Amino acid sequence: MMRECLENVRKSVPLVHNITNYVTVNDVANVILACGGSPIMSDEAEDVEDITSVCGGLNINIGTLHKTSIEGMFRAGRKAGELGHPILLDPVGAGASALRTDTALGLMKELKLTAIRGNISEIKTLAMGSGTTKGVDADVADAVTEETLDEAVEFVKRFASTAGCIIAVTGAIDLVSDGEKCYVIRNGRPEMGKITGTGCQLSGMMAAYLTANPQDSLEAAAAAVCVMGLAGEIGWSRMQEGDGNSTYRNRIIDAIYNMTGNELEKGAVYELR
Amino acid sequence: MMRECLENVRKSVPLVHNITNYVTVNDVANVILACGGSPIMSDEAEDVEDITSVCGGLNINIGTLHKTSIEGMFRAGRKAGELGHPILLDPVGAGASALRTDTALGLMKELKLTAIRGNISEIKTLAMGSGTTKGVDADVADAVTEETLDEAVEFVKRFASTAGCIIAVTGAIDLVSDGEKCYVIRNGRPEMGKITGTGCQLSGMMAAYLTANPQDSLEAAAAAVCVMGLAGEIGWSRMQEGDGNSTYRNRIIDAIYNMTGNELEKGAVYELR
Amino acid sequence: MMRECLENVRKSVPLVHNITNYVTVNDVANVILACGGSPIMSDEAEDVEDITSVCGGLNINIGTLHKTSIEGMFRAGRKAGELGHPILLDPVGAGASALRTDTALGLMKELKLTAIRGNISEIKTLAMGSGTTKGVDADVADAVTEETLDEAVEFVKRFASTAGCIIAVTGAIDLVSDGEKCYVIRNGRPEMGKITGTGCQLSGMMAAYLTANPQDSLEAAAAAVCVMGLAGEIGWSRMQEGDGNSTYRNRIIDAIYNMTGNELEKGAVYELR
């Protein structure tokens, strides 16, 4: 199944419209190309509807919000909704500022999101802010570890169910749920956190996977998470003495570029709960 | 001749003002440095006239248009025109949105452009929109291949003539014409399309070449196209197992950095029509 | 002392708020991660106060000024001042445009800056514009060389004293002064100037060093300069045939990532005047 998700991206070359932050945008574009998609970036409110109309999916990332691009996010999202395109939201920094939290919650409320991908802290912020959690849920730990796994799976499932979209929480252990099933993924390496934007890169790739696999959104989202983690492992295995986070960034993108369906099937480490 | 164009850039270190998109801007800056120029970026309307005044040439790229930077493009372009600086336009995404098409056509109409560089689809959009093509011209194929070469050369020559500036169409085969002569260039590799922004990088480098070679604009533009394609070939020859598009990006810029006039003369593959 | 400054960054993982240009922002983020800090980028006026409040230090870089982000710089700077956070200003292009010069001078006037880092031309512009130099000072040469060193040290000391903050002038020889002492640093390589943004990268890292070493600001600023220069030397020693400025960029960031306190103590080349 993951193999097919990967191969569908390479076969269909999904065109992904990205409204994303200027910190990691170049890497996001190169990752989308590496996995087999094609990226277009546009955030100007007067430009986004035309651009989203020629694309197949939309990736919204609030990493460096501007008042003007917020309008672009809503306009693009509404148009993508009309066209039935998958929409992914990456709520970067939700919880760190009111503007980010409010914008993410507003996008959740107004748009037909297909998936939200963030770290546990960002996802908790959205769960609490949107009133979709109660009691015990809000107490989920701030890191997903073997010790906190059970409650985290429960939290993610419940939030996915009430939010009505796929929730992907990435960290030491990654969780991807549609409210019924939850992928628990153990690919990746801690050193990926020393590269800026591996999360943004994953969101861009996940948008491409969702676009190319409209009938299997949950599997597509999980496959993208496995590709990113596995690329982190393969990239690390190619590191040489003296290499650091800049070379590691290149090696991860290179590994995504070269990854085959076979490699993914063999390397993906996950269980379904 | 191409050797001299390259060497003039290294000798004169042209200062190029770039109003460009935030996706590929870092690579554009490093490519301009690699070829021997010096880049400055500024798009704020209140800043651009001062900046363009201390530069020798202007590179306008509409890849991520903002309403505010559009005003900057016009202001910088008018100032550059007054100062006699070469101006290059890269109409990224013309045809994909009304804002991009209209902006590119407006810049063509109002500014004294020295060159326009884009893919065949973008260039066709401008040719049709500016009313400079009729009948058969508009029917030129959407890719420049050996089969469509004759008509494409004819189209590019005619558009360059009516537009009054150099037209560079890049793709599998590259065409660079001033309306009378047309360079047909066969350097490069298809894998360059898997790196974001090789077109933007070429536009930045071409602006540096035009600035350093004011008496030989056509040859300078063609030389920049050959340098980019040849760097794509040299970079590819240095790829090792496991390398992908991220490493390839680095190797191409490295090859531009190290390219000599001799290497260019020997490696450039072109004919004049 | 420099060893401790480096180790304090790795131990405390300072969170640095960056309002910086879109050209070099990705490299700035990766350098801050490489040295042991953690970067957040935000320039929207309505977002910056919240973001700066969760950080420990602020890095303001005017490399691609926008009218809207200027307001963000002032708001973030005032908030950082209230919170007692170190603030670094990188006055990119001061002297090249009125908007840049005026903005840098305005920030100097209104904010409690901890340090300003720029090239000699930018720093001279600020010294003259802020009325803190008189007579001979304004005549300091446009490059810091062995020949001009004495007067440059004198100039930097005096400007630091009147400006009331650390002044770091980087170039062939680097000077870092608090008005009383002046570090004269001879690390680095000229080829670093062929990479876009090594200055911006240093400013980001210096902000992390200042944040992690509040009791030793001068030493922290000087240590950051030595780390950058030494990384330039180490990175260069790893260059292979065919490598150019793009690979060099990666190797420098890699060297920062791997640098130890011991390596810094051994490799730093400086004298105190």
Side-chain angles (χ1 to χ4, degrees):
Chain A
M1 189 63 229
M2 285 200 173
R3 175 205 312 266
E4 284 152 36
C5 289
L6 179 152
E7 288 169 355
N8 284 339
V9 178
R10 300 225 187 264
K11 266 183 267 176
S12 65
V13 193
L15 197 50
V16 179
H17 176 193
N18 298 273
I19 303 182
T20 187
N21 69 71
Y22 58 84
V23 185
T24 64
V25 59
N26 185 267
D27 290 334
V28 169
N30 274 326
V31 162
I32 290 176
L33 285 162
C35 77
S38 183
I40 305 187
M41 274 67 180
S42 167
D43 60 276
E44 166 61 44
E46 292 197 25
D47 196 48
V48 293
E49 289 168 315
D50 283 354
I51 295 299
T52 234
S53 298
V54 299
C55 289
L58 176 62
N59 172 33
I60 300 177
N61 175 307
I62 66 166
T64 49
L65 274 184
H66 291 132
K67 300 287 280 182
T68 52
S69 58
I70 292 172
E71 192 194 337
M73 291 174 182
F74 280 96
R75 279 213 213 176
R78 283 191 289 258
K79 174 61 79 174
E82 286 168 31
L83 298 168
H85 295 176
I87 308 174
L88 180 141
L89 172 65
D90 186 335
V92 181
S97 78
L99 183 68
R100 290 166 191 245
T101 305
D102 293 349
T103 301
L105 291 172
L107 291 165
M108 274 186 73
K109 197 172 170 189
E110 185 155 344
L111 305 182
K112 298 181 201 165
L113 299 180
T114 308
I116 304 174
R117 191 219 62 82
N119 62 36
I120 184 69
S121 153
E122 292 157 351
I123 298 296
K124 276 176 64 179
T125 296
L126 299 189
M128 291 187 286
S130 61
T132 55
T133 56
K134 297 192 200 75
V136 64
D137 279 340
D139 294 332
V140 70
D142 278 326
V144 182
T145 62
E146 299 297 348
E147 287 68 39
T148 63
L149 185 55
D150 287 347
E151 60 165 333
V153 167
E154 193 52 37
F155 161 73
V156 170
K157 272 188 180 175
R158 201 175 311 176
F159 182 39
S161 176
T162 53
C165 71
I166 294 166
I167 300 296
V169 173
T170 55
I173 301 174
D174 307 312
L175 306 176
V176 184
S177 177
D178 62 354
E180 303 207 345
K181 295 190 279 184
C182 183
Y183 281 85
V184 176
I185 299 168
R186 290 187 175 82
N187 288 109
R189 286 196 63 91
E191 293 86 355
M192 295 171 81
K194 301 293 269 185
I195 301 168
T196 192
T198 47
C200 304
Q201 294 171 31
L202 172 53
S203 290
M205 179 157 59
M206 192 180 285
Y209 270 68
L210 292 169
T211 305
N213 295 282
Q215 308 305 325
D216 301 290
S217 297
L218 179 64
E219 289 69 24
V225 173
C226 290
V227 169
M228 193 74 208
L230 186 54
E233 297 169 22
I234 295 168
W236 188 257
S237 74
R238 297 186 66 224
M239 295 284 279
Q240 298 180 339
E241 202 183 322
D243 287 351
N245 60 337
S246 192
T247 291
Y248 190 29
R249 179 255 308 267
N250 294 319
R251 298 229 176 279
I252 291 173
I253 301 177
D254 286 354
I256 295 169
Y257 181 88
N258 287 304
M259 196 169 295
T260 64
N262 271 350
E263 204 169 14
L264 176 58
E265 283 290 348
K266 239 176 93 176
V269 179
Y270 65 92
E271 57 174 316
L272 260 173
R273 294 225 187 166
Chain B
M1 188 62 227
M2 285 199 173
R3 174 205 311 266
E4 283 153 36
C5 288
L6 179 151
E7 289 170 354
N8 284 339
V9 177
R10 300 227 186 261
K11 264 182 267 177
S12 65
V13 194
L15 197 50
V16 179
H17 176 194
N18 298 273
I19 303 181
T20 187
N21 69 72
Y22 59 84
V23 185
T24 64
V25 59
N26 184 267
D27 291 333
V28 169
N30 275 325
V31 162
I32 291 175
L33 285 162
C35 78
S38 184
I40 305 187
M41 274 66 181
S42 167
D43 61 276
E44 167 59 44
E46 291 196 25
D47 197 46
V48 294
E49 289 168 316
D50 282 356
I51 295 298
T52 234
S53 298
V54 299
C55 290
L58 175 63
N59 172 33
I60 300 177
N61 176 307
I62 65 166
T64 49
L65 275 184
H66 291 132
K67 299 289 282 183
T68 51
S69 58
I70 292 172
E71 192 194 337
M73 291 173 183
F74 280 96
R75 277 212 213 175
R78 282 190 289 260
K79 174 60 79 175
E82 285 168 34
L83 297 169
H85 294 176
I87 308 173
L88 181 141
L89 172 64
D90 187 334
V92 182
S97 78
L99 184 68
R100 290 166 191 244
T101 305
D102 293 349
T103 302
L105 291 172
L107 292 165
M108 273 185 73
K109 196 172 168 188
E110 185 154 344
L111 305 182
K112 297 182 201 164
L113 298 181
T114 308
I116 303 174
R117 191 218 62 83
N119 62 35
I120 184 70
S121 154
E122 292 157 352
I123 297 296
K124 274 174 65 178
T125 297
L126 300 189
M128 289 187 288
S130 61
T132 54
T133 56
K134 295 193 203 74
V136 65
D137 280 340
D139 294 331
V140 70
D142 277 326
V144 182
T145 62
E146 299 297 347
E147 287 69 37
T148 63
L149 185 56
D150 287 349
E151 59 166 332
V153 167
E154 191 53 36
F155 161 73
V156 170
K157 273 188 179 176
R158 204 175 307 178
F159 182 38
S161 176
T162 53
C165 70
I166 294 167
I167 301 295
V169 173
T170 56
I173 302 174
D174 307 311
L175 305 176
V176 184
S177 176
D178 63 353
E180 303 207 345
K181 294 190 280 184
C182 183
Y183 281 84
V184 176
I185 298 169
R186 291 187 174 81
N187 288 108
R189 285 195 63 92
E191 293 85 356
M192 296 172 80
K194 301 293 269 184
I195 302 168
T196 193
T198 47
C200 304
Q201 293 171 30
L202 172 52
S203 290
M205 179 158 58
M206 193 180 284
Y209 269 67
L210 291 169
T211 305
N213 295 280
Q215 308 305 325
D216 300 289
S217 297
L218 178 65
E219 290 68 24
V225 173
C226 290
V227 169
M228 193 74 206
L230 186 54
E233 299 169 21
I234 295 168
W236 188 258
S237 73
R238 296 186 64 224
M239 296 283 277
Q240 298 180 338
E241 203 182 323
D243 288 351
N245 60 335
S246 192
T247 291
Y248 191 26
R249 180 255 309 268
N250 294 319
R251 298 229 177 280
I252 292 173
I253 300 177
D254 286 353
I256 295 168
Y257 182 88
N258 287 305
M259 195 169 296
T260 62
N262 270 350
E263 203 169 15
L264 177 58
E265 284 288 348
K266 238 175 94 174
V269 179
Y270 65 91
E271 55 173 318
L272 259 172
R273 292 226 187 165
Chain C
M1 190 61 229
M2 286 200 173
R3 174 205 311 266
E4 283 152 36
C5 288
L6 178 152
E7 289 168 355
N8 284 339
V9 177
R10 299 225 186 265
K11 264 183 267 175
S12 65
V13 193
L15 197 50
V16 178
H17 176 193
N18 298 272
I19 303 181
T20 185
N21 69 72
Y22 59 85
V23 184
T24 64
V25 59
N26 184 267
D27 291 332
V28 169
N30 275 326
V31 162
I32 290 175
L33 286 162
C35 78
S38 184
I40 304 187
M41 274 66 181
S42 167
D43 61 275
E44 167 60 43
E46 292 195 24
D47 197 48
V48 293
E49 288 166 318
D50 282 355
I51 295 299
T52 235
S53 298
V54 299
C55 290
L58 177 63
N59 171 33
I60 299 177
N61 175 306
I62 66 166
T64 49
L65 273 185
H66 291 132
K67 299 288 281 183
T68 51
S69 58
I70 291 171
E71 192 194 335
M73 292 173 181
F74 280 96
R75 279 212 214 176
R78 285 190 288 259
K79 174 61 78 174
E82 285 168 33
L83 297 168
H85 294 176
I87 308 173
L88 179 141
L89 172 65
D90 187 335
V92 182
S97 78
L99 184 68
R100 291 166 190 245
T101 305
D102 293 350
T103 301
L105 291 172
L107 291 165
M108 274 186 71
K109 195 172 171 188
E110 184 154 344
L111 304 182
K112 296 183 203 162
L113 299 180
T114 308
I116 303 174
R117 190 218 64 81
N119 62 36
I120 184 70
S121 152
E122 292 157 352
I123 297 297
K124 275 175 65 177
T125 296
L126 299 189
M128 289 188 286
S130 61
T132 54
T133 56
K134 295 194 202 76
V136 64
D137 280 341
D139 294 332
V140 70
D142 276 325
V144 181
T145 62
E146 298 297 347
E147 286 70 37
T148 62
L149 185 55
D150 287 347
E151 59 166 335
V153 167
E154 192 52 38
F155 161 73
V156 170
K157 274 188 178 177
R158 201 174 311 178
F159 182 39
S161 176
T162 53
C165 70
I166 293 166
I167 301 295
V169 173
T170 56
I173 302 173
D174 307 311
L175 305 176
V176 184
S177 176
D178 63 354
E180 303 208 345
K181 292 191 282 184
C182 183
Y183 281 85
V184 176
I185 298 169
R186 291 187 174 83
N187 288 108
R189 285 195 63 91
E191 293 85 356
M192 297 172 80
K194 300 293 268 185
I195 302 168
T196 192
T198 47
C200 304
Q201 293 170 32
L202 172 53
S203 290
M205 178 158 59
M206 192 180 284
Y209 270 66
L210 292 169
T211 305
N213 294 282
Q215 308 305 327
D216 300 291
S217 297
L218 178 65
E219 288 70 22
V225 172
C226 289
V227 169
M228 192 76 208
L230 186 55
E233 298 169 21
I234 295 168
W236 188 256
S237 73
R238 296 187 65 227
M239 296 283 278
Q240 298 180 339
E241 201 182 322
D243 287 350
N245 61 335
S246 192
T247 292
Y248 190 28
R249 178 254 310 267
N250 294 319
R251 297 228 177 280
I252 292 173
I253 300 177
D254 286 354
I256 295 169
Y257 181 87
N258 287 305
M259 196 169 295
T260 63
N262 269 351
E263 203 168 17
L264 176 58
E265 283 290 347
K266 236 175 95 174
V269 179
Y270 65 90
E271 56 173 317
L272 260 173
R273 292 224 187 167

